[in-house]
Amino acid sequence: MTKNMTISSIKKTKGVRPLVMITAYDAIFASLFEASCDMILVGDSLNMSFAGKSDTLSTTLEQMIYHTNAVCMGAKNSFVICDMPFGTYTDKDKALSNAIKVFQETPADCIKIEGGKDKAEIVKHLCSNGIAVCGHIGLLPQSVRSEGGYKVKGKNDKEILQLVEDAKAIEDAGAFCMVIEGVKAEVATEVANCVNIPVIGIGAGSGVDGQVLVFSDMLGLFEAFTPKFVKKYLDGAALVKDAVARYADEVKSREFPQEIHTY
Ligand code: KIV
């Protein structure tokens, strides 16, 4: 099976063209995204967008494995990233045994972990044991409870220095790319410019090496709130509600099914 993208082709896009990443949690949507996207992220955001929870923290490794397999079934040619859930990479041995489980039980191409300099040893251990790693720096959704909310990063010199150090540490540890989330645009650009691997932004402006969005946000399916950084490319919720309302009306009026839908 030839994949659309590989680690080496992903790295080669740096300075050439922006990478396109999107999340998916199931086979049907993944199959629809394959033609247009370089990478599909099975994000632990599925805990909110799929399971309806208020944050990502209760996602389990088993759930990530289940959804990663579904995505890989739907998008067999896509480069697929499996997000490691909260609590599954607290030390390097735990991280490695959990990442090996992901690699043995799914065809995922790499895993993603949140954290910078503080996670560099773990990233290095994973990479030196055959696990490809995508980093994730800046706003870390798995730290929402300890930080008391989702806080945009890069707002002062200390935070800027921290972001630059985080990016360099993750690159030095062997990650092949990283996500940067919720960072002031000019700072994210500076961070992307200080490493040689692609830095893919979400809420991090246009000067980085690619973009990622949660699919249910960009398709307008998630109605509860729309973060500032999301562009809705479809009014999915309205379209779905309208279609289901028409179906309900036609069932009630016996307009559906017609002869052509009948054996
Ligand atoms: O879980 C997720 O969807 C993510 C993106 C926000 C990058 O980590």
Side-chain angles (χ1 to χ4, degrees), residues 155-226:
K155 291 202 279 198
N156 55 49
D157 288 349
K158 190 171 167 230
E159 284 183 2
I160 295 170
L161 183 65
Q162 177 75 59
L163 285 164
V164 169
E165 283 181 6
D166 284 343
K168 286 183 174 166
I170 293 300
E171 177 182 35
D172 290 347
F176 72 97
C177 74
M178 71 188 84
V179 166
I180 188 165
E181 177 166 3
V183 169
K184 288 186 76 65
E186 63 278 12
V187 177
T189 303
E190 185 184 330
V191 171
N193 288 340
C194 78
V195 290
N196 294 308
I197 56 174
V199 176
I200 299 157
I202 174 162
S206 62
V208 289
D209 306 308
Q211 299 292 328
V212 53
L213 281 176
V214 170
F215 88 91
S216 42
D217 289 340
M218 59 84 72
L219 293 181
L221 293 166
F222 186 65
E223 287 188 293
F225 66 93
T226 308

Side-chain angles (χ1 to χ4, degrees), residues 2-6 9 34-35 37-38 77-79:
T2 317
K3 294 261 180 169
N4 296 339
M5 295 297 282
T6 61
S9 67
E34 177 150 59
C37 299
D38 294 310
N77 298 322
S78 290
F79 188 96

Side-chain angles (χ1 to χ4, degrees), residues 23 41 43-45 83 112 136 179 181 202 214:
T23 69
L41 168 65
D44 61 355
S45 54
D83 223 356
K112 175 168 84 58
H136 185 151
V179 166
E181 177 166 3
I202 174 162
V214 170

